[in-house]
Amino acid sequence: MNVIDVTPRPAALSAIVRFLQSPLMSIVGVLFILTALKWGTLLFVVHQYETAIVTRFGKIIRTVTTPGLKIKLPIIDKLQRFDKRILAWDGPPTECPTKDKLYIIVDCFARWRISDPFLYYNRLNDERSALSRLDDILGSETRTAVAAHDLVEIIRVTKGRKPLRDAELEKSGTLLPSSIPDVEFGRGEIEKQITERTRQKIADFGIELLDERFKRSKYNPAVAEKIIERMSSERHQIAARFRSEGRGEAANISGQKESDVAAISSTATKNALEIEGRADAEAASIYAAAFNPPEAQELYTFLRSLDVMRAGFEKDTTAVISTNSELGRLLKSMAPASAAPKPTGP
């Protein structure tokens, strides 16, 4: 049984109904749906690593945390995507003084994530604003922590560290006066303090700070140059002390060498003189034993006289000699021997 609506309608309404039911409007509707699907105004995809917030005229109407294909109203609904993964913050290097009045440049980095997308969107809206707020809060907390501790607390981690010693220097008895001050907290504890204080301050922004670390700590270039000069001066002083001790040790060795050489030379000279004295004594005894007989004494006297004559008459010499002297008698006795004719052959 067919039911026919015979209720009278206004002419304008009838015209609108006929227009909407026309083939042209069907084509326009299909094009609209295809355009909405193409440009993401109707459907959107939420990935596993993100959270989506759908807003209508700037007001949040729902938060999508599960991944998949989702639907929203075209044009009037806006989509905001937020990353659920761990994000990085790498702040600018900050110059700040330590408790012991040393200016250093501290470069830090941190890891954070969005814990409450609803609060994050209302307070910060985007990642750029979040990084800017982290710059302010983390930079302030870092400067405060560095100013409250000495430089050794910022640099070192281990407690009870002992200085290294050179075994060769210990053997020689020369040791550098070195000592390492102990730390009360250390760099790791200071980083934890900064993380906890910053975490409390940024909780109202829907952000969770996982950790904060010092990436690099260095001196200000102007201060670093002075520190290098001071370290160089200290090394030069130590080297000068080593040279002075070396020269003193060399002088001691040289003096000991000269003393040993003098002692050896003195002993050798003493032994040589003793040997020479014993040799002279033995030679004298030999000479005495050789010249003790009368014939030997006469021969010795004769030879000595010849030596005297040879020395006295070596050049043209005129001498007056008595015939009663030993030399005169010797010459007189030698005259017949020199005047004897030479034997001639048969």
Side-chain angles (χ1 to χ4, degrees):
M1 180 177 179
N2 297 328
V3 178
I4 300 175
D5 187 8
V6 295
T7 303
R9 296 178 180 176
L13 182 60
S14 299
I16 292 173
V17 171
R18 287 195 300 272
F19 177 75
L20 293 176
Q21 293 176 350
S22 64
L24 178 61
M25 287 303 300
S26 299
I27 296 173
V28 171
V30 172
L31 292 175
F32 175 78
I33 294 174
L34 293 176
T35 304
L37 291 175
K38 180 180 179 182
W39 296 104
T41 57
L42 180 63
L43 301 177
F44 63 94
V45 177
V46 178
H47 298 90
Q48 295 88 345
Y49 55 82
E50 64 183 5
T51 300
I53 292 179
V54 181
T55 61
R56 183 175 298 168
F57 304 114
K59 183 179 180 181
I60 299 176
I61 60 173
R62 62 187 172 122
T63 302
V64 182
T65 58
T66 58
L69 185 64
K70 310 297 178 181
I71 300 176
K72 67 180 181 68
L73 294 180
I75 302 175
I76 61 175
D77 286 351
K78 303 294 182 182
L79 182 66
Q80 304 290 337
R81 299 177 184 269
F82 302 102
D83 204 330
K84 293 192 297 185
R85 294 174 293 185
I86 296 176
L87 304 175
W89 172 84
D90 192 356
T94 304
E95 181 178 357
C96 47
T98 61
K99 186 178 179 181
D100 46 356
K101 307 303 180 183
L102 295 175
Y103 284 86
I104 61 174
I105 298 176
V106 180
D107 193 1
C108 304
F109 72 95
R111 296 292 179 264
W112 63 282
R113 64 186 174 188
I114 301 172
S115 58
D116 189 343
F118 184 85
L119 185 60
Y120 177 83
Y121 176 75
N122 286 330
R123 298 296 301 273
L124 300 174
N125 192 20
D126 56 9
E127 186 175 341
R128 178 180 296 179
S129 300
L131 292 176
S132 177
R133 189 56 57 92
L134 285 173
D135 286 342
D136 297 337
I137 298 176
L138 275 174
S140 175
E141 292 297 331
T142 300
R143 287 189 293 270
T144 302
V146 171
H149 297 86
D150 293 336
L151 177 63
V152 65
E153 301 282 350
I154 307 298
I155 301 301
R156 290 195 32 214
V157 179
T158 57
K159 297 182 179 180
R161 181 180 174 186
K162 301 298 182 182
L164 298 177
R165 296 188 179 275
D166 194 329
E168 296 298 328
L169 294 179
E170 290 182 352
K171 291 179 181 178
S172 63
T174 303
L175 292 175
L176 296 177
S178 60
S179 61
I180 301 178
D182 200 5
V183 295
E184 182 179 357
F185 299 99
R187 186 176 70 245
E189 187 64 28
I190 296 175
E191 291 171 344
K192 290 180 181 179
Q193 293 178 3
I194 297 175
T195 301
E196 291 299 327
R197 293 173 184 173
T198 306
R199 187 177 295 166
Q200 296 174 3
K201 292 184 178 181
I202 65 175
D204 296 336
F205 299 99
I207 296 176
E208 179 186 3
L209 181 65
L210 301 179
D211 64 351
E212 188 268 354
R213 292 287 185 270
F214 290 154
K215 182 168 63 176
R216 185 180 183 186
S217 300
K218 63 178 182 179
Y219 286 111
N220 182 287
V223 178
E225 184 177 356
K226 295 181 179 178
I227 292 176
I228 292 174
E229 291 179 357
R230 186 180 66 184
M231 293 174 62
S232 177
S233 176
E234 292 177 355
R235 297 299 116 179
H236 282 302
Q237 291 178 2
I238 295 173
R241 192 184 67 184
F242 280 150
R243 293 191 187 98
S244 176
E245 293 176 355
R247 285 192 292 267
E249 188 67 20
N252 291 335
I253 294 173
S254 179
Q256 184 65 33
K257 179 199 69 173
E258 293 178 357
S259 176
D260 293 342
V261 170
I264 294 171
S265 177
S266 175
T267 303
T269 303
K270 175 183 176 183
N271 294 335
L273 292 176
E274 290 178 353
I275 293 171
E276 184 178 357
R278 288 195 297 269
D280 290 342
E282 187 175 355
S285 63
I286 293 172
Y287 285 135
F291 295 121
N292 193 25
E295 296 83 2
Q297 293 180 4
E298 184 179 355
L299 176 62
Y300 177 74
T301 303
F302 176 72
L303 293 176
R304 291 295 297 169
S305 300
L306 292 179
D307 290 337
V308 172
M309 292 174 61
R310 185 181 297 109
F313 299 99
E314 184 177 3
K315 296 182 180 180
D316 296 337
T317 305
T318 301
V320 178
I321 301 173
S322 174
T323 56
N324 295 326
S325 64
E326 293 294 333
L327 183 57
R329 287 196 299 269
L330 179 59
L331 292 176
K332 186 176 179 180
S333 63
M334 292 174 60
S338 61
K342 295 181 181 181
T344 59

